[in-house]
Structure formats: structure tokens, C-alpha cells
């Protein structure tokens, strides 16, 4: 196989997005568009990936890191000019160059591979990836000769009414014989409505040299959409969501309503997990098998074990074990570690805390900066008082302890193994293991006092 190279065009500003964020960095399915493109190219065997950067160059570099090479296009004079900037790196090489736009986030490795195969089979100098668009507005149109061969691409803005009626579009993905590409680019001019050096003009130039220009039409127009504005962005999001959800369902995950379930690209989910509507799973989240997630649950950058249920709750940057029950209406904040068979009930907030096997906080609690042992019961309304206005302090509750309802544990403080804290206590000192601690005012009952009060009130009125 001859050598293969790839060029990703990512220097444009994306004026039509009307955004401070550079176009190719807008996320689709939670991942920047240009990252999708690079991830797919990496699945096709190429010897080198070169990304053309310009607007937001540093940000694009931060995103893609060292996995690609970069060239800077200082002024954005068009897609042809952009590819020309790679000449120093690629110009002298023999082989095939795949060019992909950074704003086509749905393009798949399979389609790129099919394009490369077609290019090799046809022994072509240029092969372009085309698609049939119901609404071709804005795309370059593929103009074919009477014999069916491609003669040129006409940009929407340059097209005659007759040409605008053509529904076969240029997807912006091509492969070129590398040497032919750089020779032809030298002849591209900016004599067009936009005053830009168009990469697709290479096609007409090569064709006029009587070299073979081939076209591979993908049946999947949806894969090729170019995102130029927010309307197209939402369309790409819809399609990406469908692709991601379908993948999980094929892997054995039940998604009750895929239209109402938002899962970003890198999330992993085990089989027989059921996802209810209104669920948003994102980042590096990994969910085990046989879980029940949702409805209306948000889980970000978290690891969830097997057979765990999370309903109407938010979990961020945390680890949750097996057979855990969370919610409804719980909030698990960053750096929390919940072991197996934990129960977190309604209106419970956990932050930067560890809870070990079998412990429970079933109702209305705040657990922050705490280490909770095994089989601990935190009664309704238990609060770790972790913040003194300046610093956060640790609360420890050792195995088997029982914290009565409406108790304040004023950190730093430790409740020892199997200790009891009486309901309504405010604990300021350590409680030894096996002890019962009561820290509340003693109750006094004043017998018959109510009639005394009423008598006083009557006298006052009289
Ligand atoms: C381009 C094609 C059009 C095709 C469409 C497919 C040209 C002239 N037109 O149009 O035929 O139907 O893609 O989506 O190529 N870029 C640079 N430097 C530049 C200009 C652009 O790096 O100087 C990058 C952009 O960041 C973008 C990509 O090239 O990722 C495509 O540019 P864009 O302006 O979006 O081209 P379209 O008008 O969509
Ligand atoms: Ca575009």
C-alpha cells in the first residue's frame, strides 16, 4: 500500500456561528467537532495527520495535543490556500492525501476508508466524496459532464440558477495523489465571488490535464453535513445523539426514549442497564451492568458499578459502587466515593466524602469532607458541619455507628465504632466507640402551665 497522509482544515473563524468559540471547537455529542474528525482519521491507517490552524490556533492545539502535526495559516484565504500551507511538510512526498474539513463532525472512518479504496481502485489522481442532499443550499455543487464524469465543483455563491438546482454536493472530503495536489494548487486563483483560493478548483485543473477525477457518492448524506451555523450544529447534535444511542442499544443497553436521552461520545455503559428519559451522561462516565439510571438524572465524569439505581439525581466526578441506591433528588458532588450497597435518599448532598459498604443517609442530609465507615446509619437531617468560615474540616464516623436524626457533627470530629449519637445532638467533641452521646438541652415539662398562661392572657384583656 502506498503511503497515506491526512490534512484537516481547521483555520477558519466560523463567522456564521456568531460565537467567541472557534467553529471547529464547538462540541457535538460533548466533543469538539475537530476532535471527532481526528479520532475518525486515526482509525484509517495514515502515516501523518497535519492540521491547518489559524483562528484560535493555540486552543485547537490544546485540544488535539501531540497526536497531529500543525501548520499555521496566518490569513484565511480559502481552503486551497489552507492546504497549500502544508507544502513544507507534505509537498515532496509520494502517496495519497486525504483532506477533511474540521467542521464535518459526523464523517466516519468507514466512509473515509471506502473513499480511499475507491480512489485506489479507479487509479484516480483525485477522488471526491459526494452525497445527495435534499436541500443542497450552501454546499459546493458537483457538476458532471454528459458522460457522467465530474468536471468541476461550483460553490453555492458562484453557481448559476441552473447549477444551484443540482443536488449532488461536495462533502469537503477528498483524496488526492499528493504530488498532483500540490502541482494543481499552484494554479488555483481567487477569481470568484468570495475572492478565495478554493480547494475544489483543483478538480477542474486536474480534469483539464486529462487525468482521472473520480467521485464516490456516499448514501449517507447525514454523515457529511458541514456545520457552518448553529442551526446546522443542532442538526449535527441530533444525528450524533442518534448514532451514540443506537450504538449503546446495539450493545445491550435499554434506552426507553432515545430522543430524550443525551449521552456524549466517550461514555461507556454495560449491558442490561436501563436508561429512563431526561438523562444526561457525559465526559468520562462509565456505567456498569444492570443499572437503572433516570429519569431526569445527570452523571458526569463518574464511575458507576453494577446493579445500581440513580433516580432524579446529579452525580459529578465521583465513584459509586455496586447495588447502590441514589435518589430521588440527591446530589453527589466531586471526589465522593460511595462503596457497595450504599443508600442515599432524597435531599441528600454528598461532597468529597467516602462512604463504605452498606452505609445509609436516607433523608435530608449534608455529608461533606467526611469518612463514613461500614454499616453506618446517618439519620434524617444529619449534618457534617465541615466549614468554619475559613477552612474545611474532616468528620469521621466509624463502622457501625448510628447518628440520630437532626444531629450536627462539628468537624473536626470522630464518632467511634458502634457509637450512638442521640437525635438532636450537636457533637463538638469526639465520641468514643460503643458510647452513647447526648448533646442537647434536657427536656423539662411544666405541668399545668398552659392554664396559667391562659389566665394571664385573660387578665390582660380584661
Ligand atoms: C466547503 C467547500 C464546499 C463544500 C463544503 C462542505 C470550498 C471552497 N468549499 O465550503 O464545496 O460543499 O465545504 O462542507 O472548499 N478553512 C481553513 N482556511 C481557510 C478557509 C477554510 O482552514 O482559509 C477551513 C474551515 O475552518 C473549515 C473548512 O476549511 O473547517 C471548510 O471551510 P468553510 O468556510 O466552512 O467552507 P464551506 O463554505 O462550508
Ligand atoms: Ca463548512
Amino acid at each position: 500500500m502506498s503511503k497515506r497522509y491526512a490534512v484537516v482544515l481547521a483555520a477558519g473563524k466560523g463567522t456564521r456561528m456568531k460565537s467567541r468559540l472557534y467553529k471547529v471547537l464547538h462540541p457535538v455529542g460533548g466533543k469538539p467537532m475537530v476532535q471527532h474528525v481526528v479520532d475518525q482519521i486515526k482509525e484509517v491507517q495514515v502515516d501523518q495527520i497535519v492540521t491547518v490552524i489559524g483562528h484560535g490556533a493555540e486552543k485547537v492545539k490544546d485540544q488535539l495535543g501531540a497526536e497531529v502535526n500543525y501548520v499555521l495559516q496566518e490569513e484565511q484565504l480559502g481552503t486551497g490556500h489552507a492546504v497549500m500551507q502544508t507544502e513544507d511538510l507534505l509537498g515532496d512526498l509520494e502517496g495519497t492525501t486525504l483532506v477533511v474539513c474540521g467542521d464535518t463532525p459526523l464523517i466516519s472512518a468507514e466512509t473515509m476508508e471506502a473513499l480511499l479504496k475507491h480512489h485506489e481502485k479507479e487509479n484516480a489522481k483525485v477522488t471526491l466524496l459526494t452525497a445527495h442532499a435534499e436541500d443542497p443550499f450552501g454546499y459546493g455543487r458537483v457538476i458532471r459532464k454528459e458522460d457522467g464524469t465530474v468536471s468541476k465543483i461550483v460553490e453555492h455563491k458562484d453557481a448559476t440558477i441552473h447549477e444551484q438546482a443540482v443536488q449532488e454536493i461536495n462533502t469537503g472530503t477528498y483524496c488526492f495523489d499528493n504530488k498532483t495536489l500540490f502541482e494543481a494548487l499552484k494554479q488555483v486563483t481567487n477569481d470568484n465571488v468570495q475572492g478565495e483560493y478554493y480547494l475544489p478548483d483543483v478538480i477542474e485543473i486536474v480534469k483539464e490535464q486529462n487525468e482521472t477525477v473520480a467521485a464516490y457518492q456516499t448514501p449517507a448524506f447525514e454523515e457529511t453535513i458541514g456545520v457552518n451555523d448553529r442551526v446546522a450544529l443542532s442538526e449535527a447534535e441530533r444525528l450524533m445523539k442518534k448514532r451514540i444511542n443506537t450504538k449503546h442499544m446495539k450493545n445491550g443497553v435499554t434506552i426507553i426514549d432515545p430522543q430524550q436521552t443525551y449521552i456524549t461520545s466517550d461514555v461507556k455503559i454495560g449491558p442490561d442497564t436501563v436508561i429512563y428519559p431526561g438523562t444526561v451522561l457525559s465526559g468520562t462516565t462509565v456505567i456498569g451492568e444492570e443499572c437503572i439510571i433516570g429519569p431526569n438524572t445527570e452523571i458526569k465524569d463518574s464511575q458507576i458499578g453494577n446493579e445500581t439505581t440513580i433516580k432524579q439525581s446529579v452525580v459529578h466526578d465521583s465513584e459509586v459502587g455496586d447495588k447502590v441506591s441514589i435518589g430521588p433528588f440527591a446530589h453527589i458532588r466531586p471526589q465522593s466515593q460511595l462503596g457497595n450497597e450504599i443508600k442515599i435518599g432524597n435531599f441528600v448532598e454528598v461532597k468529597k466524602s467516602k462512604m463504605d459498604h452498606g452505609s445509609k443517609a436516607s433523608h435530608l442530609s449534608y455529608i461533606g469532607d467526611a469518612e463514613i465507615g461500614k454499616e453506618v446509619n446517618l439519620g434524617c437531617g444529619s449534618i457534617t458541619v465541615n466549614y468554619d468560615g475559613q477552612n474545611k474540616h474532616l468528620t469521621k464516623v466509624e463502622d457501625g455507628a448510628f447518628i440520630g436524626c437532626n444531629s450536627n457533627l462539628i468537624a473536626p470530629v470522630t464518632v467511634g465504632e458502634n457509637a450512638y449519637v442521640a437525635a438532636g445532638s450537636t457533637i463538638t467533641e469526639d465520641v468514643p466507640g460503643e458510647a452513647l452521646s447526648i448533646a442537647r438541652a434536657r427536656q423539662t415539662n411544666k405541668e399545668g402551665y398552659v392554664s396559667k398562661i391562659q389566665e394571664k392572657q385573660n387578665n390582660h384583656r380584661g
Side-chain angles (χ1 to χ4, degrees), residues 241 244-250 252-263 269 273-277 281:
K241 180 174 70 169
I244 292 169
N245 289 349
T246 302
K247 174 190 80 181
H248 289 297
M249 290 187 280
K250 290 206 163 144
V253 177
T254 296
I255 300 181
I256 302 289
D257 184 353
Q259 305 225 23
Q260 299 294 327
T261 303
Y262 305 85
I263 304 174
I269 310 172
T273 284
V274 180
I275 315 230
Y276 283 87
L281 307 176

Side-chain angles (χ1 to χ4, degrees), residues 8-14 16 23-24 52-54 73 75-83 100-104 138-141 153-157 169-174 194 196-201 224-228:
V8 179
L9 303 183
K13 182 164 185 261
R16 290 164 282 183
K23 176 165 77 173
V24 296
V52 183
I53 51 176
Q73 184 193 23
E75 263 187 295
Q76 283 66 52
L77 303 179
T79 47
H81 180 260
V83 175
V100 191
C101 294
D103 65 352
T104 54
Y139 289 99
R141 307 299 205 281
I153 307 285
V154 182
E155 288 308 301
H156 183 93
K157 288 182 180 156
I169 58 129
N170 169 28
T171 65
T173 300
Y174 325 74
Q194 302 189 80
E196 288 185 359
Y197 296 88
Y198 292 161
L199 175 62
D201 283 1
T224 68
I225 66 166
V227 175
N228 293 330

Side-chain angles (χ1 to χ4, degrees), residues 298-312:
E298 180 186 316
I299 304 178
K300 188 170 178 237
D301 297 330
S302 297
Q303 280 70 55
I304 314 294
N306 301 321
E307 297 178 58
T308 283
T309 298
I310 306 180
K311 293 179 175 172
Q312 283 101 348

